[in-house]
Amino acid sequence: MAEAITKRDYKEWEAFCEKVQNSNAVKFNEGKKDQDKRIKRCLKSYNDFVKEYFKQYADHDCADFHIRAANAILKDKDILAVLEWAREHAKSVHACIIIPMWLIAHGELTGMILMGKNNDDACNLLSDIQAQLQFNELFAHDFGKQYNFGSWEDGDFTTVDGIRFLAVGRNQSPRGARKGEKRPNYAVIDDIDDDEIIYNPKRVDKVIRNIMGALYFALSIKGARMVVAGNRIHHNSILANMVGDTKKGGKKREGIYHSKVCALKQKTIVRNTDGQIIGGTPSWSRYTLKQILEKMKKAGHVLAMQEFFHQTEVEGKIFKNAYFRWARMPRLQKMNVIVGYFDPSFVNSATSDYKAVRLWGIYNNKKWCIKSFVRRCELEEAFRWMIQVEKNLPNNVAVIWYIEKQFINKTIKRSQRIVERELKYKLNIQTDHRIKPNKYTRMVRMEPDYSNGGVYYNADEKDDPDMIDGNDQLKQIEPGYNTPDDSPDADEGAWYYLDFHYDEESFDPVIGEREIDEDRRY
């Protein structure tokens, strides 16, 4: 369950406001000439702008990626920018506070909508920019008094010039955000992912539709800057979907500005013989290499790679990452037996909305995961995949297909017939008639084979999205889990029938020409 977010304590906010006021005071004896010189310099240099007006954040110079992003957002009135920056690299500070005030200073902001995980989260984020607009005396001195009325506590306030600032949660509609004749032209979506929503593709899709629908179209047609800020905590996260490359090699969303920054500059990273990162140049001078490596060590490899390097490997509590052994697979002709198991899922179940087909074989008393199909899709797509697998097999290799008895219904049969007629090929699928014990128990019983080194995965499929999704589902199996389990359920079924058809004491593999008789063709 995601950690609950509560609204910021007002006294805490007052203390922050006092800090803002004290760190951005106006010099008593400053002349107009010096003021004009500062304004001119700061409007040209984002780094100078930050150091002059936001001293509480400016303990180090901005990084190059901060400056490039700010200038790109200022330059393009219709930018869709995704700032995929490592943890603790000032995503929220720049996207939610400094960049919108950079736009105000240039006369480019007509309104701002800030979207967070929920309304309280968005209001908390909005509180920081209200503090700057209300209590940053130097900014007000140079660019005019800003704050007028309203409050971040209500998620809604307005400046003297009629610029409205509105906070919304990721499931709220921002429609009606216009203030008088001014329609907002800047939206920021900040740290919108959490460890719960990323495992629910339907909820992710719903948020993406809200962002690109209600939120985007609440912005001005004459100019609509939208910024998404966060780090990639999962390959199917909201941020990853906004970029578009949720699958390895996938195309990014057309026309986006994508700034992807890791804690260490990629070309400088040094690894040891085990592949662990041991050196490199920090992407931001605020941190030393020693500090980054120490934090990575304390967090552990999986979380460090997720938070600092956008690599979203899932670590299981029962099925550990170390148990997934990737190797070059032996020729299929050498397999003693190959079983494919289809779990079509119950469409309306909260935890089972995937179609999962897992293909397993046995060789040298080891189980090999050959291929994987794990998708939210129509039934026909799974049957097409199974037929394509069969068509691509060598002539002397065959698959024994199974499907769970409870799924044998008119819908399944009709979908199978449609695809068989379409591809002019008949699938022979046997029914799993078992009366099964508890699902969790069945899946956990696979753990000894994994921990004892009896399971291998086809290295050619390591980066395949279906293989990744299937294995992630297995890693998430633990007491009280509420994540999808269709793939590990299919694994268990395939394993049962692998052992059923293979007796190592007496089994001799039969290798011969695989014939397709007329009964298998239409």
Side-chain angles (χ1 to χ4, degrees), residues 174 452 472 518:
N452 292 332
D472 281 354
E518 293 303 315

Side-chain angles (χ1 to χ4, degrees), residues 24 46-55 58 60-62:
N24 298 283
Y46 184 71
N47 189 51
D48 287 348
F49 180 79
V50 175
K51 292 175 73 174
E52 284 288 355
Y53 301 108
F54 304 94
K55 293 182 177 66
H60 278 76
D61 282 340
C62 291

Side-chain angles (χ1 to χ4, degrees), residues 288-354:
T288 66
L289 175 62
K290 182 179 178 181
Q291 288 171 331
I292 291 172
L293 293 179
E294 185 64 25
K295 186 131 189 177
M296 290 174 64
K297 181 180 178 181
K298 290 179 180 178
H301 175 75
V302 172
L303 288 176
M305 297 308 292
Q306 171 183 296
E307 301 292 342
F308 278 171
F309 296 92
H310 313 291
Q311 295 183 21
T312 57
E313 188 176 20
V314 175
E315 177 65 281
K317 292 185 178 179
I318 296 174
F319 296 94
K320 308 286 187 182
N321 285 335
Y323 298 169
F324 290 77
R325 297 168 176 84
W326 300 89
R328 184 176 180 181
M329 195 176 67
R331 295 171 61 200
L332 293 178
Q333 292 92 330
K334 292 186 176 182
M335 293 286 179
N336 299 110
V337 63
I338 298 174
V339 170
Y341 197 99
F342 182 20
D343 185 335
S345 81
F346 289 112
V347 175
N348 293 324
S349 170
T351 60
S352 301
D353 58 352
Y354 285 80

Side-chain angles (χ1 to χ4, degrees), residues 365 502-508:
N365 296 325
Y502 171 62
D503 178 355
E504 63 182 278
E505 298 294 332
S506 60
F507 186 82
D508 291 319

